[in-house]
């Protein structure tokens, strides 16, 4: 209904009266009024004149009613502790694949390795529930695929040249544009769900974020829409997963990689591996050559780049 009301307001040259809208849309005037109030509450500037309603400005947000056929899968919230928790509840209850929880801001947004993810308004914060029919061993490839698909989306929409830091950070000239956090539930022989939590700096102020971060809106002259970013990413990932095949992801990931060839320290939940990042294996693991010449494969973890000429690296302060 909101999509229909907005379409009317956008097309109208003159204010649209409640009566006209209620007749056209086949709902009561009270229902029209309630939808207008809800739209105003989430940031639409709708003037109420004696002649009717006039849309002055629409906010840029991925509301369900601007997401077309995908709308019913979008759970939009003005504020949540973290979209990860809301998505986990939905996933456990058996929600359909691609159910997506979006929050305008998060009070307890989190990153990998228990770090905090600053989630002020203007950024795009969402968790998408995926149910890929792939082997358990292929699960890490979903993270790499998401990073590639998001990088391609941002490049197509805004000509932003993104580099990828293993496993799935999006950087521009060393500054963080986006981070991905995933949670999985699986049986020994099948994946129940992978929840992909993505934070993208879009319009939000990244000054003061450590390590240094950057937002899409400052990298392009084009007008930036969070709804279009979500749609573009969704479309690419859905197409990729429709075939339940993740072949080729590593080859798509490597040309954008800033990690390979560099000295790195990879922090896992239990361990720390330092050395030169040599390659990404077909299963998505980072291959690190340690000081002793040993090749170590790391499947999950967070990677910190050191100077390419030095041997050791220091872990930076948490973000
Ligand atoms: C990282 O780079 O450490 C991953 C950051 C992931 C942040 C996103 S924002 C949406 C979702 N909800 C969260 O609490 N975290 C993820």
């Amino acid at each position: 209904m909101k999509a229909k009301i907005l379409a009317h307001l956008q097309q109208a040259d003159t204010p649209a009266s409640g009566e006209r809208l209620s007749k056209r849309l086949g709902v009561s005037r009270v229902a029209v009024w309630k939808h207008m109030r809800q739209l105003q509450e989430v940031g639409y500037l709708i003037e109420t004149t004696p002649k009717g309603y006039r849309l002055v400005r629409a906010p840029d947000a991925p509301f369900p009613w601007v997401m077309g056929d995908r709308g019913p899968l979008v759970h939009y919230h003005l504020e949540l502790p973290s979209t990860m928790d809301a998505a986990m509840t939905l996933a456990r209850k058996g929600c359909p694949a691609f159910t997506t929880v979006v929050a305008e801001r998060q009070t307890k947004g989190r990153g990998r390795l228990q770090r905090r993810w600053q989630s002020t308004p203007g950024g795009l914060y969402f968790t998408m529930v995926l149910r890929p029919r792939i082997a358990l061993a292929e699960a890490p490839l979903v993270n790499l695929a998401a990073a590639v698909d998001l990088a391609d989306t941002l490049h197509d929409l805004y000509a932003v040249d993104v580099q990828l830091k293993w496993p799935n950070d999006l950087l521009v000239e060393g500054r963080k544009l986006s981070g991905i956090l995933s949670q999985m539930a699986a049986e020994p022989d099948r994946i129940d769900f992978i929840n992909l939590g993505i934070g993208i700096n879009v319009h939000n102020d990244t000054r003061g974020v450590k390590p240094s971060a950057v937002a899409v809106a400052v990298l392009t002259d084009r007008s930036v829409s969070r709804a279009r970013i979500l749609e573009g990413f969704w479309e690419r990932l859905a197409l990729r997963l429709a075939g339940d095949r993740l072949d080729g992801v590593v080859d798509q990931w490597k040309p954008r990689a800033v990690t390979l060839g560099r000295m790195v320290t990879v922090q896992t939940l239990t361990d720390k591996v330092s050395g030169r990042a040599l390659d990404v294996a077909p299963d998505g693991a980072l291959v690190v050559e340690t000081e002793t010449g040993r090749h170590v494969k790391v499947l999950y973890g967070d990677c910190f780049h050191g100077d390419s000429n030095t041997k050791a690296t220091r872990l930076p302060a948490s973000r």
Side-chain angles (χ1 to χ4, degrees):
M1 186 52 62
K2 289 190 178 58
K4 286 183 184 166
I5 291 178
L6 287 168
H8 273 287
L9 294 183
Q10 268 150 2
Q11 283 155 18
D13 298 331
T14 53
S17 73
E19 195 180 337
R20 197 169 89 206
L21 285 169
S22 82
K23 275 192 187 141
R24 286 242 182 125
L25 303 171
V27 293
S28 69
R29 282 181 65 174
V30 175
V32 170
W33 176 80
K34 276 190 185 158
H35 283 296
M36 292 296 177
R37 274 237 342 238
Q38 286 163 4
L39 288 168
Q40 285 166 331
E41 271 164 22
V42 293
Y44 283 83
L45 190 54
I46 299 172
E47 264 179 16
T48 318
T49 72
K51 290 186 178 165
Y53 301 104
R54 194 170 76 86
L55 177 64
V56 180
R57 192 168 41 79
D60 162 42
F63 299 120
W65 54 88
V66 303
M67 295 294 289
D69 292 347
R70 302 186 177 100
L73 292 173
V74 176
H75 296 241
Y76 177 86
H77 299 263
L78 280 177
E79 184 177 291
L80 279 179
S82 164
T83 57
M84 298 309 284
D85 302 333
M88 181 59 82
T89 305
L90 290 169
R92 285 192 176 136
K93 284 188 185 156
C95 69
F98 285 95
T99 294
T100 299
V101 180
V102 186
E104 201 60 42
R105 49 186 183 270
Q106 302 181 108
T107 51
K108 288 191 178 143
R110 55 183 189 263
R112 289 194 304 273
L113 300 180
Q114 320 294 334
R115 284 192 308 259
R116 196 176 147 255
W117 181 266
Q118 182 176 304
S119 312
T120 48
L124 177 56
Y125 315 111
F126 64 94
T127 302
M128 198 174 254
V129 179
L130 303 176
R131 299 193 185 275
R133 282 164 297 167
I134 54 171
L136 215 51
E138 283 186 301
L141 297 180
V142 173
N143 290 339
L144 297 186
V148 169
D149 288 343
L150 187 54
D152 283 344
T153 302
L154 294 173
H155 185 264
D156 282 6
L157 289 174
Y158 305 116
V160 173
D161 273 322
V162 173
Q163 292 104 39
L164 301 178
K165 180 163 84 78
W166 186 89
N168 46 19
D169 277 357
L170 277 75
L171 309 180
V172 173
E173 291 170 2
R175 292 182 293 169
K176 188 142 165 173
L177 189 65
S178 170
I180 302 178
L181 171 72
S182 62
Q183 289 183 313
M184 181 172 77
E187 314 274 325
D189 58 341
R190 81 180 172 91
I191 291 172
D192 186 9
F193 58 82
I194 296 178
N195 287 355
L196 212 53
I198 304 190
I200 310 168
N201 297 317
V202 183
H203 300 289
N204 51 311
D205 187 356
T206 59
R207 284 172 301 180
V209 174
K210 295 273 179 263
S212 156
V214 68
V216 181
V218 302
L219 296 169
T220 179
D221 292 338
R222 303 179 196 171
S223 122
V224 179
S225 154
R226 291 181 299 164
R228 290 194 67 196
I229 295 175
L230 179 56
E231 273 179 337
F233 169 72
W234 191 322
E235 194 174 329
R236 280 178 187 276
L237 192 64
L239 207 63
R240 187 192 284 280
L241 294 180
D244 296 320
R245 289 169 69 90
L246 291 160
D247 305 8
V249 170
V250 172
D251 288 338
Q252 292 174 329
W253 186 90
K254 279 188 198 176
R256 292 193 179 76
V258 281
T259 302
L260 301 183
R262 298 186 68 157
M263 296 307 295
V264 296
T265 293
V266 186
Q267 174 80 61
T268 68
L269 275 177
T270 52
D271 204 3
K272 200 154 93 174
V273 181
S274 292
R276 189 171 297 280
L278 288 187
D279 199 7
V280 171
D283 59 1
L286 187 67
V287 183
V288 179
E289 183 179 52
T290 66
E291 238 177 356
T292 59
R294 210 160 51 94
H295 289 189
V296 180
K297 273 180 75 180
V298 192
L299 209 44
Y300 291 101
D302 213 9
C303 176
F304 300 95
H305 290 167
D307 186 311
S308 54
N309 299 316
T310 59
K311 282 195 194 143
T313 51
R314 216 161 23 94
L315 289 179
S318 68
R319 187 181 191 282

